[in-house]
Structures are given as structure tokens and as C-alpha cells.
Amino acid sequence: MSKKIDVSKFEKKMIIRNIIPDDFDDIIEMSKLCFPNMEPWEREHLQSHVDIFPEGQFCVEYDGEIIGSCSSLIINFDEYDDQHTWDEITDNGYITNHDYEGYNLYGIEVMVHPDYRRMKIGHRLYEARKDLARELNLKSIIIGGRIPNYFKHAKEMTPRQYVEEVTMHNIYDPVLTFQVMNGFTMKRINPNYLEDDRASLRYATLMEWNNIDYRPTVPKRQFKTSFPVRITTIQYAMKKISSFEDFAIQCEYYTDVAASYHSDFAVFPEIFTLQLLSFLPEKSPSLAIRRLTEFTEDYIELFTMLAVKYNVNIIGGSHFVEEEGKIYNIAYLFRRDGTIEKQYKLHITPNERKFWGISGGNHVNVFDTDCGKIAIQICYDIEFPELARIAVDKGANIIFTPFCTDDRQGYLRVRYCSQARAIENQVYTVLSGTVGNLTDVENMDIQYAQSGIFSPSDFTFARDGIVGECQANIETVVVGDVDLEILRRNRRAGSVNQLRDRRHDIYSINYKQS
């Protein structure tokens, strides 16, 4: 009797999946093999792809080995010049110009390991892109394709003649022939497309695959003349109270004020919950903070209720929270639909470390809201420009900064940096600080604040880059509108363009967390 064959030992599984950071080294080595005379990918490029548009980055894994990959981004193709270059369409390979509201998937690279060609790997990657275009209801896929065999025929024919011969299958080109076979049609030929593509003599064929399942009756984006977002930032008075109920009354009052102005966001200051210590007997700062963390669930329950009741998204200042024996300074986003997000303070001041033993978080988060993507950077964090740049590269249009400072010098550090971040990143920034005195709370004796809402500095924004600001050191609010459509236009056609004009060839930010 013959022995039953174990077929599992013959299996070699092929998987098409999204790229993850663990794949970077293999992809970089593969790019060196596939394009030996061209600049390979760098980790910073691939990390930016995964951070900004992870669902658009695919790889093929075969028997545990990466043997193919492709990268893409979404754009509105009509917004780019007909004779664009690869650097222009990809922001020098970092895809920070990716637009989730765009209509076209733009493929910027496909490669297959030389040892695994003629196994339909490229075809599988193209099919993954087509599936993504259908899933996201995109009009088309556009690619700028190399013509790597053109150098062999350049003396006898023009690029257009060469392309016509390849299209008619009289000449074989490994890239163009493949694209034609995968349903792409010619749009035009771009000169000087890829600087180091000598084999193509820097020419590229701009080609398109149209998504016949695209639903124009369900538009991806409603074009608007404006997209106003109203913000109420609260300059909160730190005064003695007798109970958590007193604190809740004060918070509800300001939420009601924000709602009465039909605000989309109400913004409270950093560690304003320290007001609760004014009715607790503990005087030691480190022990008092442990007592304060006991109110965490009450605080979260209160602000979740206020956000839903008053139909306003609340940046709930920040609060000290104990997790696994450590104390963190955490800012919460309470959405008006009842959902909650949180951002840990990353940089801890010497004062926080000395008096309260605060630990720092590790992630720069960007949150989706019904008014677009936002980030929260607590007080000291806004003084580190890398964080704002990372947040904007992840899509943030507004950066909220709850802060708490005791003197004018400390306040101005936060303010000047907040306004600098608005200009550097073409983003709106918002400050909310505490005022008043807590005579019974150690290390919270005095406060200094002048809360405000700031914009980039250009013709389309407020003259001084100040949407609105409170008077210094009084209990009050400021209400202001920021326009996300104006911001979008400014990022594309402002007097200057700090985001697009970055020199990725000489510097970059390496964000080490996924």
C-alpha cells in the first residue's frame, strides 16, 4: 500500500498584501537589483508612503520572501501640469502631496525581483491597484512609464515613433509592452520625467486605465467655495472649588458658550483638571497627582456627555492619568458622536518631571473628525518643529495646543512656536491656556495666558496671521472661523509653499514609530 503524500511540503504560498516597515530593507535591496543605474528607495521614502497612504503600497510575498512591490498615491490629475516630472508628482518620492479627496490613483513605481520574472508578479500588482481604484471609487489609474529600450532605437526614431512601434507590437519594450497588455492607453509623452532614467533618455509615457465601475453620480468630493470650521478656545480660570460638581458646572458653562456660537470645536487648556486639587487635602505634589488620577473616569464621562449633549467636538485640555504605575499627561478628543481619542504628551518639561514624575508618550497621532484631520500637541510639544511636520504629513489641517504656563516668557515660547508651526506647515494652530491663581495647590500658584487661533501668513489669511486672540490673563473665550478650503488652495498655489519646496534631497525627518 502506497504511503499518503504530504502535499504541504510542496506548498509555496504567494501573498499580495500591503507593505509594512519590516519589508523596507528587502524592498530597498530589490530596487538596487531592478534599477541598477538609478537611485534606490531610501527608508525615509518608504516610511512616508506607509504613514501617508498605507493602503496604496503593495508587495508580493512568495514563500516568505519579498519578490515584488509597487507604490502609489491619490491626486487630482487636473491640478498638475501636462509636462510634470516624477519629482513633481511624488513630492520627490515622499508623496506628501497625496490627496485622499482626489480622483486619480497615480502609480509611481512597480518592480519585480529579477529571479522571479515571467511569473505574472507585475500583473498581480497591477490587479491589486485596479481593485483599490474600484474600492475607493477613483476615476482612473495614471502612470508615468519608462521606455527602457528606447536608447537602442533613439538614432533611428523619435520617442513617439518608438512608442507607436511598441504599441503595434513591432518592437518589444519590457515596460511599455507590459502596460499596454494590462489595459493602459497612451495619453502623451513627457520629456525629462525621471532625471536618472538614462535608458529611456528621460522620456516617459503617460498612460491611463479608466475605471468603468466609477460612479460619477456619487461624487467623491463636493467642491466648495469655502469649508469653514468654527473654533471656540477657552481661557479657563483656575479658581478654588469645593467639589467635582463645581468643576463640572464650570466646564459645562463653557461648552454651552461654544455651542451657542455653533462651534465645531471647544478647546480647554492643559492640566486644567488640577483645579480639582483645590478641595483635596494632600499638599505633596507627587502624592496629590496620584489622588488626581482617581478622577479620570469621572472626567472622561463628563466630557463625553458634554460633547454629545452640546453637539461639539471637545479638545478636553489634558489630564494626568495613571497607566501601569506611570503618570502620563494625556489630551483627549471627545467627538460629538460620542467616540474618544487620546494624545500623550511626548516631551516632559523639567518642572513636570521634578514635581510630578510625569512620563512621556511615544506616538504622534492624527485624528479624523467631521471637520477633517486634526492633531493635538500639548504645550511643550509645540516647541519641537519635527512633531508638527510629522502631523501635517499625516494629513492634519489644524493643530490644537492646550497649554499651561506660569509667566510671560513661558507663554511666549508656546505662542511664538505655535505661530511658527502655522507658517512652516501651512496649517492652522490653536492655543488654549489657564489663567488665575490656585493658592492652595502646590506648583500651580500663578498662571499666564493669552489664548488664540493662528493661520499661515499669506494674502488669503488674516493680515497678521491671527484669526482671533483673547486679552491676556482674564477669564474669557475667543471664537474664530478657519477655512479648510482656503488652506487647501494655499498649499497648492500660495505666495510661498513651504511643504512642496522642502529639500528632501538634503534633509528629512525620520519618524521611528509606525
Side-chain angles (χ1 to χ4, degrees):
M1 184 175 180
S2 60
K3 184 179 179 182
K4 186 177 181 180
I5 297 175
D6 180 10
V7 297
S8 64
K9 66 182 180 180
F10 299 101
E11 290 180 342
K12 291 186 177 181
K13 192 172 184 180
M14 184 175 289
I15 304 170
I16 315 296
R17 60 170 174 80
N18 290 122
I19 293 170
I20 60 174
D22 288 346
D23 303 323
F24 290 173
D25 290 339
D26 290 338
I27 291 173
I28 291 168
E29 289 305 310
M30 185 167 58
S31 71
K32 294 176 182 177
L33 291 172
C34 293
F35 311 115
N37 298 315
M38 300 171 64
E39 290 293 324
W41 284 126
E42 297 179 2
R43 289 189 66 86
E44 290 80 6
H45 293 125
L46 300 176
Q47 185 66 62
S48 185
H49 298 175
V50 170
D51 287 343
I52 293 171
F53 186 36
E55 56 267 54
Q57 321 309 319
F58 295 103
C59 68
V60 179
E61 180 182 331
Y62 181 56
D63 200 24
E65 181 180 354
I66 303 299
I67 63 170
S69 72
C70 68
S71 300
S72 59
L73 73 158
I74 297 174
I75 60 169
N76 278 325
F77 187 69
D78 291 342
E79 296 178 355
Y80 289 85
D81 185 86
D82 284 352
Q83 299 298 322
H84 65 267
T85 66
W86 187 89
D87 284 342
E88 290 169 346
I89 211 74
T90 68
D91 193 16
N92 294 294
Y94 289 85
I95 72 165
T96 50
N97 57 320
H98 169 75
D99 184 358
Y100 267 109
E101 296 180 330
Y103 289 99
N104 312 99
L105 188 70
Y106 197 107
I108 61 173
E109 172 270 331
V110 172
M111 58 183 172
V112 177
H113 194 289
D115 294 343
Y116 295 91
R117 288 174 182 166
R118 302 190 181 279
M119 291 176 59
K120 305 291 186 182
I121 305 303
H123 176 75
R124 296 169 202 252
L125 290 168
Y126 268 49
E127 288 302 308
R129 274 183 180 163
K130 291 175 183 178
D131 288 342
L132 180 64
R134 296 184 186 103
E135 178 185 342
L136 299 180
N137 191 35
L138 299 174
K139 280 185 175 180
S140 68
I141 301 173
I142 296 173
I143 51 177
R146 301 171 61 235
I147 43 176
N149 277 358
Y150 176 57
F151 76 97
K152 300 176 182 179
H153 304 270
K155 292 181 180 180
E156 297 86 32
M157 58 186 71
T158 66
R160 179 162 296 280
Q161 290 170 332
Y162 174 80
V163 167
E164 288 174 354
E165 290 295 308
V166 174
T167 304
M168 294 173 64
H169 302 288
N170 294 326
I171 296 176
Y172 173 77
D173 185 279
V175 176
L176 181 55
T177 300
F178 170 76
Q179 291 164 345
V180 171
M181 295 296 290
N182 277 275
F184 282 77
T185 57
M186 179 70 61
K187 288 174 69 70
R188 59 179 168 268
I189 299 173
N190 282 21
N192 303 311
Y193 182 77
L194 193 57
E195 185 64 29
D196 54 357
D197 185 8
R198 296 185 182 89
S200 306
L201 302 188
R202 301 186 178 87
Y203 288 101
T205 55
L206 200 67
M207 306 190 73
E208 186 171 26
W209 171 85
N210 290 293
N211 177 15
I212 62 173
D213 295 321
Y214 174 68
R215 302 180 302 280
T217 55
V218 186
K220 186 173 179 63
R221 174 172 53 180
Q222 296 289 340
F223 285 94
K224 299 181 179 181
T225 55
S226 65
F227 186 169
V229 175
R230 181 159 295 174
I231 299 168
T232 295
T233 186
I234 298 154
Q235 198 154 278
Y236 188 92
M238 301 288 274
K239 52 194 175 187
K240 185 175 176 59
I241 54 177
S242 300
S243 64
F244 185 87
E245 288 69 29
D246 288 347
F247 172 77
I249 289 170
Q250 192 171 346
C251 294
E252 183 162 10
Y253 165 74
Y254 279 118
T255 306
D256 188 14
V257 168
S260 68
Y261 285 100
H262 306 288
S263 298
D264 296 294
F265 290 96
V267 191
F268 286 85
E270 179 189 25
I271 55 175
F272 74 120
T273 57
L274 282 166
Q275 185 182 30
L276 297 170
L277 295 181
S278 65
F279 64 81
L280 296 177
E282 183 58 64
K283 298 302 179 184
S284 166
S286 60
L287 296 178
I289 291 306
R290 299 280 173 176
R291 291 286 305 277
L292 180 65
T293 64
E294 296 172 5
F295 289 93
T296 298
E297 291 189 4
D298 293 328
Y299 155 79
I300 293 174
E301 185 177 7
L302 168 66
F303 277 95
T304 302
M305 179 274 293
L306 293 177
V308 174
K309 177 180 178 181
Y310 289 95
N311 191 33
V312 59
N313 300 302
I314 299 177
I315 309 297
S318 76
H319 174 66
F320 289 136
V321 179
E322 183 174 3
E323 293 181 350
E324 297 180 348
K326 293 183 178 181
I327 306 295
Y328 296 94
N329 188 350
I330 300 178
Y332 288 85
L333 165 63
F334 300 93
R335 295 191 188 93
R336 49 186 156 198
D337 65 2
T339 57
I340 304 169
E341 304 279 5
K342 60 183 179 180
Q343 172 67 61
Y344 293 74
K345 188 172 185 178
L346 305 185
H347 297 89
I348 306 306
T349 65
N351 188 67
E352 287 177 292
R353 192 176 293 110
K354 174 183 176 182
F355 282 91
W356 297 318
I358 305 303
S359 298
N362 296 312
H363 297 277
V364 179
N365 298 320
V366 169
F367 308 114
D368 288 307
T369 74
D370 53 11
C371 297
K373 293 180 181 291
I374 64 109
I376 306 172
Q377 299 188 351
I378 306 169
C379 196
Y380 196 27
D381 282 344
I382 201 66
E383 299 178 27
F384 296 83
E386 300 87 348
L387 301 188
R389 181 52 55 85
I390 291 166
V392 169
D393 280 349
K394 288 185 170 188
N397 294 314
I398 307 172
I399 298 177
F400 293 96
T401 298
F403 74 95
C404 176
T405 52
D406 58 351
D407 58 33
R408 189 169 184 269
Q409 287 77 12
Y411 159 71
L412 288 177
R413 286 195 296 270
V414 174
R415 181 190 176 116
Y416 291 156
C417 289
S418 181
Q419 289 191 267
R421 301 299 87 84
I423 293 170
E424 294 162 354
N425 298 286
Q426 296 175 280
V427 68
Y428 295 112
T429 58
V430 181
L431 296 181
S432 174
T434 53
V435 297
N437 306 310
L438 280 179
T439 56
D440 296 328
V441 179
E442 187 72 24
N443 198 41
M444 284 294 290
D445 309 306
I446 57 174
Q447 320 289 308
Y448 189 103
Q450 187 175 14
S451 306
I453 305 168
F454 308 113
S455 73
S457 184
D458 210 339
F459 295 113
T460 51
F461 300 105
R463 189 188 69 173
D464 299 320
I466 302 171
V467 177
E469 61 182 337
C470 299
Q471 292 187 30
N473 287 339
I474 64 169
E475 182 181 11
T476 186
V477 305
V478 63
V479 181
D481 284 352
V482 300
D483 195 320
L484 300 188
E485 178 60 21
I486 289 177
L487 186 73
R488 187 187 72 84
R489 295 178 194 173
N490 179 256
R491 288 176 172 179
R492 299 190 183 282
S495 298
V496 293
N497 199 311
Q498 292 89 345
L499 291 178
R500 286 195 176 179
D501 291 340
R502 287 176 286 174
R503 289 289 305 277
H504 291 301
D505 57 326
I506 60 174
Y507 60 82
S508 64
I509 294 174
N510 181 20
Y511 178 49
K512 296 182 178 180
Q513 298 294 335
S514 59

